[in-house]
Amino acid sequence: MKHMKTYLMITISSLLALFSCVEKQACSDGVNGTLIEMSVLDGCSWIIQLDAGEKLQPVNLNNFEIEKKNELKVSMVYKEVEAMAGICMVGKMVEISCLKVMN
């Protein structure tokens, strides 16, 4: 019974380590950016500023289970949503298909 508990603890620890490592990896073919809280402006909430300087307004940010913090570094894959217009008017509207928090 003691060996079973040890085996179970090792298995659980290994799985937790595996999934936590996967979460910190960049999205395949993704771009890096920074999450920025913009609620001080009317109609704005969170935007992502890419490392190249371009600003994006994600339409589906709440679909991802991340702890939103100002200046959080992320990796993401997105596509522009041309049929939408945001009232924030900070950058183009995008739909995110992959979003990972970076270290």
Side-chain angles (χ1 to χ4, degrees):
M1 185 71 163
K2 184 177 180 180
H3 294 296
M4 182 64 101
K5 287 182 182 179
T6 303
Y7 176 74
L8 183 59
M9 288 180 63
I10 291 171
T11 303
I12 291 171
S13 297
S14 298
L15 288 172
L16 288 174
L18 174 68
F19 287 114
S20 65
C21 289
V22 169
E23 190 64 30
K24 300 293 183 192
Q25 293 178 355
C27 295
S28 179
D29 298 324
V31 294
N32 294 333
T34 305
L35 191 62
I36 299 175
E37 201 266 327
M38 298 283 293
S39 63
V40 295
L41 298 176
D42 286 339
C44 294
S45 59
W46 293 94
I47 67 162
I48 296 174
Q49 182 169 347
L50 299 180
D51 287 355
E54 185 176 12
K55 295 177 182 170
L56 308 173
Q57 296 180 66
V59 298
N60 63 333
L61 185 60
N62 290 331
N63 292 353
F64 298 90
E65 294 184 24
I66 64 165
E67 181 181 351
K68 295 180 200 111
K69 294 188 286 190
N70 197 36
E71 299 188 14
L72 181 69
K73 301 292 183 189
V74 296
S75 171
M76 62 182 275
V77 174
Y78 68 92
K79 66 177 179 179
E80 187 172 353
V81 181
E82 296 180 21
M84 297 181 82
I87 59 174
C88 183
M89 300 179 71
V90 172
K92 60 183 168 183
M93 307 291 288
V94 298
E95 182 177 3
I96 301 169
S97 59
C98 177
L99 181 69
K100 301 286 184 183
V101 174
M102 301 299 292
N103 287 337

Coordinates of all heavy atoms in Angstrom, one line a residue:
M1 N 0.8 -1.2 0.0 CA 0.0 0.0 0.0 C 0.9 1.3 0.0 O 0.6 2.2 -0.7 CB -0.9 0.0 1.2 CG -1.9 1.1 1.3 SD -3.1 0.8 0.0 CE -4.4 1.9 0.5
K2 N 2.0 1.2 0.7 CA 2.9 2.4 0.8 C 3.5 2.7 -0.5 O 3.6 3.8 -0.9 CB 4.0 2.1 1.8 CG 4.9 3.3 2.1 CD 5.9 3.0 3.1 CE 6.8 4.2 3.3 NZ 7.8 3.9 4.4
H3 N 3.8 1.6 -1.3 CA 4.4 1.8 -2.6 C 3.4 2.4 -3.6 O 3.7 3.2 -4.5 CB 4.9 0.5 -3.2 CG 6.1 -0.1 -2.4 ND1 7.3 0.6 -2.4 CD2 6.2 -1.2 -1.7 CE1 8.1 -0.1 -1.6 NE2 7.5 -1.2 -1.2
M4 N 2.1 2.0 -3.4 CA 1.1 2.5 -4.3 C 0.9 4.0 -4.0 O 0.7 4.8 -5.0 CB -0.3 1.8 -4.0 CG -1.4 2.3 -4.9 SD -1.1 1.9 -6.6 CE -2.1 0.5 -6.7
K5 N 1.0 4.5 -2.8 CA 0.9 5.9 -2.5 C 2.0 6.7 -3.1 O 1.9 7.8 -3.6 CB 0.8 6.2 -1.0 CG -0.6 5.8 -0.4 CD -0.6 6.1 1.1 CE -1.9 5.6 1.7 NZ -1.9 5.9 3.2
T6 N 3.2 6.1 -3.0 CA 4.4 6.8 -3.5 C 4.3 6.9 -5.0 O 4.6 7.9 -5.6 CB 5.7 6.0 -3.1 OG1 5.7 5.9 -1.7 CG2 6.9 6.6 -3.7
Y7 N 3.9 5.8 -5.7 CA 3.7 5.8 -7.1 C 2.7 6.8 -7.5 O 2.9 7.5 -8.5 CB 3.3 4.4 -7.6 CG 3.0 4.3 -9.1 CD1 4.0 4.3 -10.0 CD2 1.7 4.2 -9.5 CE1 3.8 4.2 -11.3 CE2 1.4 4.1 -10.9 CZ 2.5 4.2 -11.8 OH 2.2 4.1 -13.1
L8 N 1.6 6.9 -6.8 CA 0.5 7.8 -7.1 C 1.0 9.3 -7.0 O 0.8 10.1 -7.8 CB -0.7 7.6 -6.2 CG -1.9 8.5 -6.4 CD1 -2.5 8.3 -7.9 CD2 -3.0 8.2 -5.4
M9 N 1.8 9.6 -5.9 CA 2.3 10.9 -5.7 C 3.3 11.3 -6.8 O 3.3 12.4 -7.3 CB 3.0 11.0 -4.4 CG 1.9 11.0 -3.2 SD 2.7 11.1 -1.6 CE 3.5 12.7 -1.7
I10 N 4.1 10.3 -7.2 CA 5.1 10.6 -8.3 C 4.4 10.8 -9.6 O 4.7 11.8 -10.4 CB 6.1 9.4 -8.5 CG1 7.0 9.4 -7.2 CG2 6.9 9.5 -9.7 CD1 7.9 8.2 -7.1
T11 N 3.3 10.1 -9.9 CA 2.6 10.2 -11.1 C 1.9 11.6 -11.1 O 1.9 12.3 -12.2 CB 1.5 9.1 -11.2 OG1 2.2 7.8 -11.2 CG2 0.7 9.2 -12.5
I12 N 1.3 12.0 -10.1 CA 0.6 13.2 -10.0 C 1.6 14.4 -10.1 O 1.3 15.3 -10.9 CB -0.3 13.4 -8.7 CG1 -1.4 12.4 -8.7 CG2 -0.7 14.8 -8.5 CD1 -2.2 12.3 -7.4
S13 N 2.7 14.3 -9.5 CA 3.7 15.4 -9.6 C 4.2 15.5 -11.0 O 4.4 16.6 -11.5 CB 4.9 15.0 -8.6 OG 4.5 15.0 -7.3
S14 N 4.4 14.3 -11.6 CA 4.9 14.3 -13.0 C 3.9 15.0 -14.0 O 4.3 15.8 -14.8 CB 5.2 12.9 -13.5 OG 6.2 12.4 -12.7
L15 N 2.6 14.7 -13.8 CA 1.6 15.3 -14.6 C 1.5 16.8 -14.4 O 1.4 17.5 -15.4 CB 0.2 14.6 -14.3 CG 0.1 13.2 -14.9 CD1 -1.2 12.5 -14.4 CD2 0.2 13.2 -16.4
L16 N 1.6 17.2 -13.2 CA 1.5 18.6 -12.9 C 2.7 19.4 -13.5 O 2.5 20.4 -14.1 CB 1.5 18.9 -11.4 CG 0.2 18.5 -10.6 CD1 0.3 18.7 -9.1 CD2 -1.0 19.4 -11.1
A17 N 3.9 18.8 -13.4 CA 5.0 19.4 -14.0 C 4.9 19.5 -15.5 O 5.2 20.5 -16.1 CB 6.3 18.6 -13.6
L18 N 4.4 18.4 -16.1 CA 4.2 18.4 -17.6 C 3.3 19.4 -18.0 O 3.6 20.2 -18.9 CB 3.7 17.0 -18.0 CG 3.3 16.8 -19.5 CD1 4.6 16.9 -20.3 CD2 2.6 15.5 -19.7
F19 N 2.1 19.5 -17.4 CA 1.1 20.5 -17.8 C 1.5 21.9 -17.5 O 1.2 22.8 -18.3 CB -0.3 20.2 -17.2 CG -0.9 19.0 -17.8 CD1 -1.1 17.9 -17.1 CD2 -1.3 19.0 -19.2 CE1 -1.7 16.7 -17.7 CE2 -1.9 17.9 -19.8 CZ -2.1 16.8 -19.0
S20 N 2.2 22.2 -16.4 CA 2.7 23.5 -16.2 C 3.8 23.9 -17.2 O 3.8 25.1 -17.5 CB 3.2 23.6 -14.7 OG 4.4 22.9 -14.6
C21 N 4.6 23.0 -17.6 CA 5.6 23.4 -18.7 C 4.9 23.7 -20.0 O 5.3 24.6 -20.7 CB 6.6 22.2 -18.9 SG 7.7 22.0 -17.5
V22 N 3.9 22.9 -20.3 CA 3.2 23.1 -21.6 C 2.5 24.5 -21.6 O 2.5 25.2 -22.6 CB 2.1 22.0 -21.8 CG1 1.2 22.3 -23.0 CG2 2.8 20.7 -22.0
E23 N 2.0 24.9 -20.5 CA 1.3 26.2 -20.4 C 2.2 27.3 -20.6 O 1.8 28.4 -21.1 CB 0.6 26.3 -19.0 CG -0.3 27.5 -18.9 CD -1.5 27.4 -19.8 OE1 -2.0 26.3 -20.1 OE2 -2.0 28.5 -20.1
K24 N 3.5 27.2 -20.3 CA 4.5 28.3 -20.4 C 5.1 28.4 -21.7 O 5.9 29.3 -22.0 CB 5.5 28.2 -19.3 CG 5.0 28.2 -17.9 CD 4.4 29.6 -17.5 CE 3.9 29.6 -16.1 NZ 3.1 30.7 -15.8
Q25 N 4.9 27.4 -22.6 CA 5.5 27.4 -23.9 C 4.8 28.4 -24.8 O 3.6 28.6 -24.7 CB 5.5 26.0 -24.5 CG 6.4 25.1 -23.8 CD 6.4 23.7 -24.3 OE1 5.6 23.4 -25.2 NE2 7.2 22.8 -23.8
A26 N 5.5 28.9 -25.8 CA 4.9 29.8 -26.8 C 3.9 29.0 -27.7 O 4.1 27.8 -27.9 CB 6.0 30.5 -27.6
C27 N 3.0 29.7 -28.3 CA 2.1 29.1 -29.3 C 2.9 28.9 -30.6 O 3.8 29.7 -30.9 CB 1.0 30.1 -29.7 SG -0.2 30.5 -28.3
S28 N 2.7 27.7 -31.2 CA 3.4 27.4 -32.4 C 3.0 28.4 -33.5 O 1.8 28.7 -33.7 CB 3.0 26.0 -32.8 OG 3.6 25.6 -34.0
D29 N 4.0 29.0 -34.1 CA 3.8 30.0 -35.1 C 3.2 31.3 -34.6 O 2.5 32.1 -35.3 CB 3.0 29.5 -36.3 CG 3.6 28.4 -37.1 OD1 4.9 28.4 -37.2 OD2 2.9 27.5 -37.5
G30 N 3.3 31.5 -33.3 CA 2.7 32.7 -32.6 C 3.6 33.9 -32.6 O 4.8 33.8 -33.0
V31 N 3.0 35.0 -32.2 CA 3.8 36.2 -32.0 C 3.7 36.6 -30.6 O 2.8 36.3 -29.8 CB 3.2 37.4 -32.9 CG1 3.4 37.1 -34.4 CG2 1.7 37.6 -32.6
N32 N 4.7 37.4 -30.1 CA 4.8 37.8 -28.7 C 4.2 39.2 -28.6 O 4.3 40.0 -29.4 CB 6.2 37.7 -28.2 CG 6.8 36.3 -28.2 OD1 6.0 35.4 -28.0 ND2 8.1 36.2 -28.3
G33 N 3.6 39.4 -27.4 CA 3.0 40.7 -27.1 C 2.8 40.8 -25.6 O 3.2 40.0 -24.8
T34 N 2.2 41.9 -25.2 CA 1.9 42.3 -23.8 C 0.5 42.6 -23.7 O -0.1 43.4 -24.4 CB 2.8 43.5 -23.4 OG1 4.2 43.2 -23.7 CG2 2.7 43.8 -22.0
L35 N -0.1 42.0 -22.7 CA -1.5 42.4 -22.3 C -1.5 43.7 -21.6 O -0.8 43.9 -20.6 CB -2.1 41.2 -21.4 CG -3.5 41.2 -21.1 CD1 -4.3 41.0 -22.4 CD2 -3.9 40.1 -20.1
I36 N -2.4 44.6 -22.0 CA -2.5 45.9 -21.4 C -3.9 46.3 -21.1 O -4.8 46.1 -21.9 CB -1.9 47.0 -22.4 CG1 -0.4 46.7 -22.7 CG2 -2.1 48.4 -21.8 CD1 0.2 47.6 -23.8
E37 N -4.1 46.7 -19.9 CA -5.4 47.0 -19.3 C -5.7 48.5 -19.7 O -5.0 49.4 -19.4 CB -5.4 46.9 -17.8 CG -6.8 46.7 -17.2 CD -7.4 48.1 -16.8 OE1 -6.6 48.9 -16.3 OE2 -8.6 48.2 -16.9
M38 N -6.8 48.7 -20.5 CA -7.1 50.0 -21.0 C -8.5 50.5 -20.6 O -9.1 51.3 -21.3 CB -7.1 49.9 -22.6 CG -5.8 49.6 -23.2 SD -4.6 50.9 -23.2 CE -5.4 52.1 -24.3
S39 N -9.0 50.0 -19.5 CA -10.4 50.4 -19.1 C -10.6 51.8 -18.7 O -11.7 52.3 -18.5 CB -10.9 49.5 -18.0 OG -10.1 49.7 -16.8
V40 N -9.5 52.6 -18.6 CA -9.6 54.0 -18.3 C -10.1 54.8 -19.5 O -10.6 55.9 -19.4 CB -8.2 54.6 -17.9 CG1 -7.7 54.0 -16.6 CG2 -7.2 54.4 -19.0
L41 N -10.1 54.2 -20.7 CA -10.7 54.8 -21.9 C -12.1 54.2 -22.1 O -12.3 53.0 -21.9 CB -9.8 54.5 -23.1 CG -8.4 55.0 -23.1 CD1 -7.7 54.5 -24.4 CD2 -8.4 56.5 -23.1
D42 N -13.0 55.0 -22.5 CA -14.4 54.6 -22.8 C -14.4 53.5 -23.8 O -13.8 53.6 -24.9 CB -15.3 55.8 -23.2 CG -15.6 56.7 -22.1 OD1 -15.5 56.3 -20.9 OD2 -16.0 57.9 -22.4
G43 N -15.1 52.4 -23.5 CA -15.3 51.3 -24.5 C -14.2 50.4 -24.6 O -14.2 49.5 -25.4
C44 N -13.1 50.6 -23.8 CA -12.0 49.7 -23.8 C -11.9 48.8 -22.6 O -12.5 49.1 -21.6 CB -10.7 50.5 -23.9 SG -10.5 51.5 -25.4
S45 N -11.2 47.7 -22.8 CA -10.9 46.8 -21.6 C -9.5 46.3 -21.8 O -8.6 47.0 -21.3 CB -11.9 45.6 -21.6 OG -11.8 44.9 -22.8
W46 N -9.2 45.2 -22.4 CA -7.9 44.7 -22.5 C -7.5 44.7 -24.0 O -8.3 44.4 -24.9 CB -7.8 43.2 -22.0 CG -8.0 43.1 -20.6 CD1 -9.2 42.9 -19.9 CD2 -7.0 43.3 -19.5 NE1 -9.0 42.9 -18.6 CE2 -7.6 43.1 -18.3 CE3 -5.6 43.5 -19.6 CZ2 -7.0 43.2 -17.1 CZ3 -5.0 43.6 -18.4 CH2 -5.6 43.4 -17.1
I47 N -6.2 45.1 -24.3 CA -5.7 45.0 -25.6 C -4.4 44.3 -25.5 O -3.9 44.0 -24.4 CB -5.4 46.4 -26.2 CG1 -4.3 47.2 -25.5 CG2 -6.7 47.2 -26.3 CD1 -3.7 48.3 -26.3
I48 N -3.9 43.9 -26.6 CA -2.5 43.2 -26.7 C -1.7 44.0 -27.6 O -2.0 44.3 -28.8 CB -2.6 41.8 -27.2 CG1 -3.5 40.9 -26.2 CG2 -1.2 41.2 -27.3 CD1 -3.7 39.5 -26.6
Q49 N -0.5 44.5 -27.1 CA 0.4 45.2 -27.9 C 1.5 44.2 -28.3 O 2.2 43.7 -27.4 CB 1.0 46.4 -27.2 CG 2.0 47.2 -28.0 CD 2.4 48.5 -27.4 OE1 1.8 49.0 -26.5 NE2 3.4 49.1 -28.0
L50 N 1.7 44.0 -29.6 CA 2.7 43.1 -30.1 C 4.1 43.7 -29.9 O 4.2 45.0 -29.7 CB 2.5 42.9 -31.6 CG 1.1 42.2 -31.9 CD1 1.1 42.0 -33.5 CD2 0.9 40.9 -31.2
D51 N 5.1 42.9 -29.8 CA 6.4 43.3 -29.6 C 6.9 44.3 -30.7 O 7.7 45.2 -30.5 CB 7.4 42.2 -29.5 CG 7.3 41.4 -28.2 OD1 6.5 41.8 -27.3 OD2 8.0 40.4 -28.1
A52 N 6.3 44.2 -31.9 CA 6.6 45.1 -33.0 C 5.9 46.4 -32.8 O 6.1 47.3 -33.6 CB 6.2 44.4 -34.3
G53 N 5.0 46.6 -31.8 CA 4.3 47.8 -31.6 C 2.9 47.9 -31.9 O 2.1 48.8 -31.5
E54 N 2.4 47.0 -32.8 CA 1.0 47.0 -33.2 C 0.1 46.7 -32.1 O 0.4 45.8 -31.3 CB 0.8 46.0 -34.4 CG -0.6 46.0 -35.0 CD -0.7 45.1 -36.2 OE1 0.2 44.3 -36.4 OE2 -1.7 45.2 -36.9
K55 N -1.1 47.3 -32.0 CA -2.0 47.1 -30.9 C -3.2 46.3 -31.5 O -3.7 46.7 -32.6 CB -2.5 48.4 -30.3 CG -1.3 49.1 -29.6 CD -1.7 50.4 -29.0 CE -0.5 51.1 -28.3 NZ -0.8 52.4 -28.0
L56 N -3.7 45.4 -30.7 CA -4.8 44.5 -31.1 C -5.9 44.5 -30.1 O -5.6 44.5 -28.9 CB -4.3 43.1 -31.4 CG -3.1 42.9 -32.3 CD1 -2.7 41.4 -32.2 CD2 -3.4 43.3 -33.7
Q57 N -7.2 44.5 -30.6 CA -8.3 44.3 -29.7 C -8.9 42.9 -29.8 O -9.6 42.6 -30.8 CB -9.4 45.3 -30.0 CG -9.0 46.8 -29.8 CD -10.1 47.7 -30.2 OE1 -11.2 47.7 -29.5 NE2 -10.0 48.5 -31.3
P58 N -8.6 42.0 -28.8 CA -9.1 40.7 -28.9 C -10.6 40.6 -28.6 O -11.0 41.2 -27.6 CB -8.3 39.9 -27.9 CG -7.8 40.9 -26.9 CD -7.7 42.2 -27.7
V59 N -11.3 39.9 -29.5 CA -12.8 39.8 -29.3 C -13.1 38.6 -28.4 O -14.3 38.5 -27.9 CB -13.5 39.7 -30.6 CG1 -13.3 41.0 -31.4 CG2 -13.1 38.5 -31.4
N60 N -12.2 37.7 -28.2 CA -12.5 36.5 -27.4 C -11.5 36.2 -26.3 O -11.2 35.0 -26.0 CB -12.6 35.3 -28.4 CG -11.3 35.0 -29.1 OD1 -10.4 35.9 -29.3 ND2 -11.1 33.7 -29.5
L61 N -10.9 37.2 -25.7 CA -9.9 37.0 -24.7 C -10.5 36.2 -23.5 O -9.8 35.4 -22.9 CB -9.4 38.4 -24.2 CG -8.3 38.4 -23.2 CD1 -7.1 37.7 -23.8 CD2 -8.0 39.8 -22.8
N62 N -11.8 36.4 -23.2 CA -12.4 35.7 -22.1 C -12.5 34.2 -22.3 O -12.8 33.4 -21.4 CB -13.7 36.3 -21.7 CG -13.6 37.7 -21.1 OD1 -12.6 38.0 -20.5 ND2 -14.6 38.5 -21.3
N63 N -12.3 33.7 -23.5 CA -12.3 32.3 -23.8 C -11.1 31.5 -23.3 O -11.1 30.3 -23.2 CB -12.4 32.0 -25.3 CG -13.8 32.5 -25.9 OD1 -14.7 32.9 -25.2 ND2 -13.9 32.4 -27.2
F64 N -10.1 32.3 -22.8 CA -8.9 31.7 -22.4 C -8.7 31.8 -20.9 O -9.0 32.9 -20.3 CB -7.7 32.3 -23.1 CG -7.7 32.1 -24.6 CD1 -8.4 33.0 -25.4 CD2 -7.2 30.9 -25.1 CE1 -8.4 32.8 -26.8 CE2 -7.2 30.7 -26.5 CZ -7.9 31.6 -27.3
E65 N -8.4 30.8 -20.2 CA -8.2 30.8 -18.7 C -6.9 31.3 -18.3 O -6.0 30.5 -18.0 CB -8.5 29.4 -18.2 CG -10.0 29.0 -18.4 CD -10.3 27.6 -17.8 OE1 -9.6 27.2 -16.8 OE2 -11.2 27.0 -18.2
I66 N -6.7 32.6 -18.3 CA -5.5 33.2 -17.9 C -5.8 34.2 -16.8 O -6.9 34.8 -16.8 CB -4.7 33.8 -19.0 CG1 -5.4 35.0 -19.6 CG2 -4.3 32.8 -20.1 CD1 -4.6 35.9 -20.5
E67 N -4.9 34.5 -15.9 CA -5.1 35.5 -15.0 C -4.7 36.8 -15.7 O -3.5 37.0 -16.0 CB -4.2 35.3 -13.7 CG -4.4 36.4 -12.7 CD -3.6 36.1 -11.4 OE1 -3.0 35.1 -11.3 OE2 -3.5 37.0 -10.6
K68 N -5.6 37.7 -15.9 CA -5.3 38.9 -16.7 C -4.6 39.9 -15.7 O -5.2 40.3 -14.7 CB -6.6 39.5 -17.2 CG -7.3 38.7 -18.2 CD -8.5 39.4 -18.7 CE -9.4 38.4 -19.4 NZ -10.6 38.1 -18.7
K69 N -3.4 40.3 -16.1 CA -2.6 41.3 -15.3 C -2.0 42.2 -16.3 O -1.6 41.8 -17.4 CB -1.5 40.6 -14.6 CG -2.0 39.7 -13.5 CD -0.8 39.2 -12.6 CE 0.0 38.2 -13.4 NZ 1.0 37.5 -12.6
N70 N -2.0 43.5 -15.9 CA -1.4 44.5 -16.8 C 0.1 44.2 -17.0 O 0.8 43.8 -16.1 CB -1.5 45.9 -16.2 CG -1.3 47.0 -17.2 OD1 -1.7 46.9 -18.3 ND2 -0.7 48.1 -16.7
E71 N 0.5 44.3 -18.3 CA 1.9 44.0 -18.7 C 2.3 42.6 -18.7 O 3.4 42.2 -18.6 CB 2.9 44.9 -18.0 CG 2.6 46.4 -18.3 CD 3.6 47.3 -17.7 OE1 4.7 46.9 -17.4 OE2 3.4 48.5 -17.7
L72 N 1.3 41.7 -18.8 CA 1.5 40.2 -18.8 C 2.0 39.9 -20.2 O 1.4 40.2 -21.2 CB 0.2 39.5 -18.5 CG 0.3 38.0 -18.5 CD1 1.1 37.5 -17.3 CD2 -1.1 37.4 -18.4
K73 N 3.2 39.2 -20.3 CA 3.8 38.8 -21.5 C 3.1 37.5 -22.0 O 2.9 36.6 -21.3 CB 5.3 38.5 -21.4 CG 6.1 39.7 -20.9 CD 6.1 40.8 -21.9 CE 7.0 41.9 -21.4 NZ 6.9 43.1 -22.3
V74 N 2.7 37.5 -23.3 CA 1.9 36.4 -23.9 C 2.5 36.1 -25.3 O 3.2 36.9 -25.9 CB 0.4 36.7 -24.0 CG1 -0.2 36.9 -22.7 CG2 0.2 37.9 -24.9
S75 N 2.2 34.9 -25.7 CA 2.4 34.4 -27.1 C 1.0 34.1 -27.6 O 0.2 33.5 -26.9 CB 3.3 33.2 -27.1 OG 3.3 32.6 -28.3
M76 N 0.8 34.5 -28.9 CA -0.6 34.3 -29.4 C -0.6 34.0 -30.9 O 0.4 34.4 -31.6 CB -1.5 35.4 -29.1 CG -1.0 36.7 -29.7 SD -2.0 38.1 -29.2 CE -3.3 38.0 -30.4
V77 N -1.6 33.4 -31.3 CA -1.9 33.2 -32.8 C -3.3 33.8 -32.9 O -4.2 33.6 -32.1 CB -2.0 31.7 -33.2 CG1 -2.4 31.6 -34.6 CG2 -0.6 31.1 -33.0
Y78 N -3.5 34.7 -34.0 CA -4.7 35.4 -34.1 C -5.0 35.6 -35.6 O -4.1 35.4 -36.5 CB -4.7 36.7 -33.4 CG -3.7 37.7 -34.1 CD1 -4.2 38.6 -35.1 CD2 -2.4 37.8 -33.7 CE1 -3.3 39.5 -35.7 CE2 -1.5 38.6 -34.3 CZ -2.0 39.5 -35.3 OH -1.1 40.4 -35.9
K79 N -6.3 35.9 -35.9 CA -6.6 36.4 -37.2 C -7.5 37.6 -37.1 O -8.2 37.8 -36.1 CB -7.4 35.3 -38.0 CG -8.7 34.9 -37.5 CD -9.4 33.8 -38.3 CE -10.8 33.5 -37.7 NZ -11.5 32.5 -38.4
E80 N -7.4 38.5 -38.1 CA -8.1 39.7 -38.0 C -9.6 39.4 -38.3 O -9.9 38.6 -39.2 CB -7.6 40.7 -39.1 CG -8.2 42.1 -39.0 CD -7.6 43.1 -39.9 OE1 -6.5 42.8 -40.5 OE2 -8.1 44.2 -40.0
V81 N -10.5 40.1 -37.6 CA -11.9 40.0 -37.8 C -12.4 41.3 -38.4 O -12.5 42.3 -37.8 CB -12.6 39.8 -36.4 CG1 -14.1 39.7 -36.6 CG2 -12.1 38.7 -35.6
E82 N -12.6 41.2 -39.7 CA -12.9 42.4 -40.5 C -14.3 42.9 -40.4 O -14.6 44.0 -40.7 CB -12.5 42.2 -42.0 CG -11.0 42.0 -42.1 CD -10.5 41.7 -43.6 OE1 -11.3 42.1 -44.5 OE2 -9.4 41.2 -43.8
A83 N -15.2 42.0 -40.1 CA -16.6 42.3 -40.0 C -17.0 43.0 -38.7 O -18.2 43.3 -38.5 CB -17.5 41.1 -40.2
M84 N -16.1 43.3 -37.9 CA -16.4 44.0 -36.6 C -15.6 45.3 -36.5 O -14.5 45.5 -37.0 CB -16.0 43.1 -35.4 CG -16.7 41.8 -35.3 SD -16.1 40.8 -33.9 CE -17.1 41.6 -32.6
A85 N -16.2 46.2 -35.7 CA -15.6 47.4 -35.3 C -15.7 47.7 -33.8 O -16.8 47.4 -33.3 CB -16.2 48.6 -36.1
G86 N -14.7 48.0 -33.2 CA -14.7 48.3 -31.7 C -14.8 49.8 -31.5 O -14.4 50.6 -32.2
I87 N -15.5 50.1 -30.3 CA -15.6 51.5 -30.0 C -14.3 52.0 -29.3 O -14.1 53.2 -29.1 CB -16.8 51.8 -29.1 CG1 -16.8 51.0 -27.8 CG2 -18.1 51.5 -29.9 CD1 -17.9 51.3 -26.9
C88 N -13.4 51.1 -28.9 CA -12.2 51.5 -28.3 C -11.2 52.2 -29.3 O -10.5 53.2 -29.0 CB -11.5 50.3 -27.7 SG -10.0 50.7 -26.8
M89 N -11.3 51.7 -30.5 CA -10.5 52.3 -31.6 C -9.0 52.4 -31.4 O -8.4 53.4 -31.7 CB -11.1 53.6 -32.1 CG -12.6 53.5 -32.5 SD -13.3 55.0 -33.0 CE -12.5 55.3 -34.5
V90 N -8.4 51.4 -30.7 CA -7.0 51.4 -30.4 C -6.2 50.6 -31.4 O -5.1 50.9 -31.7 CB -6.8 50.9 -29.0 CG1 -5.3 50.7 -28.7 CG2 -7.4 51.8 -28.0
G91 N -6.8 49.6 -32.0 CA -6.1 48.7 -32.9 C -7.1 47.8 -33.6 O -8.3 48.0 -33.4
K92 N -6.6 47.0 -34.5 CA -7.6 46.1 -35.2 C -8.2 45.0 -34.3 O -7.6 44.6 -33.4 CB -6.9 45.6 -36.5 CG -5.7 44.7 -36.3 CD -5.2 44.3 -37.6 CE -3.8 43.7 -37.5 NZ -3.2 43.3 -38.8
M93 N -9.4 44.6 -34.7 CA -10.1 43.6 -33.9 C -9.6 42.2 -34.4 O -9.4 42.0 -35.6 CB -11.6 43.7 -34.2 CG -12.2 45.0 -34.0 SD -12.3 45.5 -32.3 CE -13.6 44.4 -31.7
V94 N -9.3 41.4 -33.4 CA -8.7 40.0 -33.8 C -9.4 38.9 -32.9 O -9.9 39.2 -31.9 CB -7.2 40.0 -33.5 CG1 -6.5 41.0 -34.4 CG2 -6.9 40.2 -32.1
E95 N -9.4 37.8 -33.5 CA -9.9 36.6 -32.8 C -8.7 35.7 -32.5 O -7.9 35.4 -33.5 CB -10.9 35.8 -33.7 CG -11.4 34.6 -33.0 CD -12.5 33.8 -33.8 OE1 -12.7 34.3 -35.0 OE2 -13.0 32.9 -33.3
I96 N -8.5 35.3 -31.3 CA -7.3 34.6 -30.9 C -7.6 33.1 -30.9 O -8.7 32.6 -30.5 CB -6.9 34.9 -29.4 CG1 -6.6 36.4 -29.3 CG2 -5.8 34.1 -28.9 CD1 -6.5 36.9 -27.9
S97 N -6.7 32.3 -31.5 CA -6.9 30.9 -31.6 C -5.9 30.1 -30.6 O -6.1 29.0 -30.3 CB -6.7 30.3 -33.0 OG -5.4 30.7 -33.5
C98 N -4.8 30.8 -30.2 CA -3.9 30.3 -29.2 C -3.4 31.4 -28.4 O -3.0 32.4 -28.9 CB -2.8 29.5 -29.9 SG -1.5 28.9 -28.8
L99 N -3.4 31.2 -27.1 CA -2.9 32.2 -26.2 C -2.2 31.5 -25.0 O -2.8 30.7 -24.3 CB -4.0 33.1 -25.6 CG -3.6 34.2 -24.7 CD1 -2.8 35.3 -25.4 CD2 -4.8 34.9 -24.0
K100 N -0.9 31.9 -24.8 CA -0.1 31.3 -23.8 C 0.6 32.4 -23.0 O 1.1 33.3 -23.6 CB 0.9 30.3 -24.3 CG 0.4 29.1 -25.1 CD -0.3 28.1 -24.2 CE -0.8 27.0 -25.1 NZ -1.4 26.0 -24.4
V101 N 0.7 32.2 -21.7 CA 1.4 33.1 -20.8 C 2.9 32.8 -20.9 O 3.2 31.6 -20.9 CB 0.9 33.1 -19.4 CG1 1.8 33.9 -18.5 CG2 -0.5 33.5 -19.3
M102 N 3.7 33.8 -21.1 CA 5.2 33.5 -21.2 C 5.8 33.9 -19.8 O 5.3 34.6 -19.1 CB 5.8 34.5 -22.3 CG 5.2 34.2 -23.6 SD 5.4 32.6 -24.3 CE 7.2 32.6 -24.5
N103 N 7.0 33.3 -19.6 CA 7.7 33.6 -18.3 C 8.3 35.0 -18.4 O 8.7 35.5 -19.3 CB 8.8 32.5 -18.1 CG 8.2 31.2 -17.7 OD1 7.1 31.1 -17.2 ND2 9.0 30.2 -18.0

